[in-house]
Amino acid sequence: MSQSIEKKILCIVGARPNFMKIAPVIRALNNAQHSFNVRLLHTGQHYDAAMKQSFFDQLHIPEPDVDLGVGSGSHAVQTAEIMKRFEPVMDELKPDTILVVGDVNSTIACALVAVKKGVPVIHVEAGLRSGDRSMPEEINRVLTDQISDLLLTTERSAKQNLVREGVSSEKVHFVGNVMIDTLLYNLNNAVPSGDTIASCLDTERAESVGADYGLLTLHRPANVDDPVVLERLLRTLVDLSGKLPMLFPVHPRTRQCIDGAGLNQLVADSQLYLMPPQAYLNMLGLMKGARLVLTDSGGIQEETTALGVPCITLRENTERPITVEEGSNTIVGSNPEKIKSCFNDIMHSGGKAGRTPEYWDGKAAERISDVVGDWLYKK
Ligand code: UD1
């Protein structure tokens, strides 16, 4: 087929973990040997400056061509609202394909609208499975993969998951991890941890942290929605912060849960230091400088593996098994004794350094643009 007519690709983002994935993809598509007409749509799922604009600014993501401005809501309301607002945009823009990333509500909502209009869907970060269908993200992953036409994976095990679910292996391409593209691209520009700590904590607290600290993130519904579970976790982390000061950039939903459960006092006099959500380059600096990281995030399991920083995952499972098999990640769940034992182990032994997985080399987005070009222009 002639390449004279540029194929139009509509890239979709919605929530914080999407932004670092789309940045290298847009850059690679714009620099590709195939010529594409690339547009960007933001659903507005995440809208606070700390959750959105700082990422666009630091990662030089172009301002979206369209912002659906959906904001917060229950899963049903948020997903439905995105679909309702996205459909007329599809009619107007008439893309040749849409490209979605990750596993958030915006991913499935836009994929569903496109596929019903006969517009093919590209899914970046396809095939990851935790096996835990109580996670909203797992439902989003399984469903998005079922209706995608081109499935691009970050680790080889993803293809086995997809084939097991009946996806044709011809649609699946192992390209590597775009989140790690962003990490490697920005590593030298990470904000030194000391600067971030000094700007977020008072002098006394900042001095108590010094250069030796742990880093914590927490936002999964399973960990934060139930006040009993949240309190038990925070008590454990407050205990551990006595051995190693702990920095805790707090996600908005977690902030609501801490406030709602009246748990601010629990952490007030401890060395577990609550901070606002961090911009990308600040978070990167904090991760890089941490002795260890505790998290229930998916992306941070990968980023710590790429950085060789020991990671304790506060979940019962992971959809990113390579971070455990090859990387620096250990899955411990939310049991206090298991968390303490893993923490103490890392404090004594230094923890797993791991190695960098295959194709987590900063070139995943270039591979994506090659695969997408071949697929769009030669099919
Ligand atoms: C979403 C994703 C999750 C991802 C996480 C990263 C789904 C199902 N979940 O979860 O996979 O790991 O983002 O951040 O899509 N809020 C704000 N400001 C914002 C955004 C949210 O205050 O900019 C508050 C809202 O009150 C909202 C709550 O945070 O109710 C949760 O936001 P939402 O987008 O529904 O899901 P997350 O928990 O962030």
Side-chain angles (χ1 to χ4, degrees):
M1 179 189 252
S2 154
Q3 297 199 10
S4 56
I5 304 164
E6 273 188 347
K7 296 284 187 180
K8 195 186 283 180
I9 304 178
L10 180 57
C11 299
I12 311 290
V13 289
R16 184 170 62 177
N18 294 164
F19 304 142
M20 40 285 220
K21 291 170 196 164
I22 211 68
V25 173
I26 291 184
R27 202 165 45 240
L29 290 174
N30 282 332
N31 293 332
Q33 59 174 58
H34 298 279
S35 183
F36 302 112
N37 178 341
V38 182
R39 302 288 178 89
L40 179 62
L41 177 142
H42 176 41
T43 63
Q45 179 174 347
H46 284 176
Y47 45 87
D48 284 357
M51 300 295 284
K52 187 234 161 188
Q53 198 56 43
S54 68
F55 289 80
F56 274 67
D57 294 344
Q58 290 192 339
L59 301 178
H60 304 292
I61 302 170
E63 273 308 303
D65 300 280
V66 183
D67 188 337
L68 299 181
V70 294
S72 302
S74 69
H75 285 270
V77 167
Q78 192 173 56
T79 308
E81 201 56 47
I82 295 168
M83 291 179 70
K84 270 166 64 183
R85 296 187 193 193
F86 184 48
E87 184 166 44
V89 175
M90 286 289 288
D91 292 338
E92 195 193 323
L93 292 183
K94 298 190 173 42
D96 293 292
T97 182
I98 73 158
L99 183 148
V100 296
V101 297
D103 55 19
V104 302
N105 288 339
S106 302
T107 310
I108 179 63
C110 292
L112 204 45
V113 171
V115 75
K116 290 199 174 180
K117 289 189 162 294
V119 175
V121 175
I122 303 168
H123 186 202
V124 173
E125 202 187 82
L128 295 180
R129 295 291 181 271
S130 65
D132 177 359
R133 296 229 172 159
S134 69
M135 286 178 74
E137 294 81 4
E138 183 78 350
I139 303 298
N140 294 341
R141 290 181 198 116
V142 170
L143 298 181
T144 303
D145 286 337
Q146 281 297 323
I147 56 176
S148 291
D149 298 86
L150 189 63
L151 297 97
L152 306 170
T153 63
T154 55
E155 55 179 275
R156 287 194 185 273
S157 66
K159 184 169 184 170
Q160 294 157 20
N161 296 334
L162 291 167
V163 170
R164 200 180 311 122
E165 290 170 10
V167 175
S168 159
S169 66
E170 283 161 25
K171 294 182 182 174
V172 184
H173 297 260
F174 173 43
V175 292
N177 194 326
V178 286
M179 185 165 251
I180 305 308
D181 287 9
T182 293
L183 183 145
L184 296 175
Y185 190 81
N186 290 286
L187 200 51
N188 290 336
N189 294 325
V191 177
S193 56
D195 293 359
T196 304
I197 292 165
S199 70
C200 293
L201 302 181
D202 62 37
T203 313
E204 194 185 329
R205 289 179 155 206
E207 278 171 7
S208 83
V209 173
D212 194 17
Y213 61 88
L215 181 65
L216 167 70
T217 80
L218 215 54
H219 76 279
R220 293 270 157 225
N223 281 334
V224 302
D225 282 1
D226 179 344
V228 176
V229 174
L230 180 59
E231 178 171 354
R232 197 178 58 202
L233 261 176
L234 288 181
R235 271 193 200 287
T236 306
L237 295 159
V238 162
D239 272 4
L240 295 178
S241 75
K243 296 184 183 175
L244 179 70
M246 202 92 74
L247 303 176
F248 182 14
V250 187
H251 187 286
R253 65 173 292 128
T254 310
R255 174 70 68 180
Q256 288 167 18
C257 296
I258 291 175
D259 292 347
L263 293 172
N264 282 296
Q265 205 47 42
L266 176 65
V267 294
D269 297 322
S270 76
Q271 291 201 97
L272 178 61
Y273 298 135
L274 273 53
M275 301 160 78
Q278 294 297 308
Y280 183 79
L281 295 176
N282 299 73
M283 193 63 186
L284 189 52
L286 290 176
M287 281 192 283
K288 199 171 146 188
R291 168 124 52 132
L292 55 85
V293 174
L294 297 116
T295 191
D296 59 7
S297 149
I300 290 177
Q301 295 173 50
E302 298 182 330
E303 290 168 332
T304 46
T305 275
L307 292 167
V309 174
C311 179
I312 302 174
T313 293
L314 305 173
R315 285 174 41 191
E316 306 299 333
N317 47 56
T318 180
E319 61 286 341
R320 293 159 161 94
I322 205 160
T323 60
V324 177
E325 288 152 14
E326 296 185 18
S328 60
N329 190 17
T330 308
I331 306 294
V332 299
S334 60
N335 177 293
E337 293 318 311
K338 286 191 185 159
I339 297 171
K340 285 180 185 171
S341 152
C342 186
F343 177 94
N344 289 332
D345 204 41
I346 294 173
M347 292 293 279
H348 290 131
S349 71
K352 290 203 280 183
R355 64 171 190 267
T356 308
E358 185 183 7
Y359 278 5
W360 290 24
D361 58 357
K363 298 191 173 127
E366 286 171 34
R367 286 184 207 103
I368 287 175
S369 112
D370 288 346
V371 171
V372 168
D374 290 348
W375 174 74
L376 264 183
Y377 285 107
K378 290 182 188 157
K379 71 182 175 133

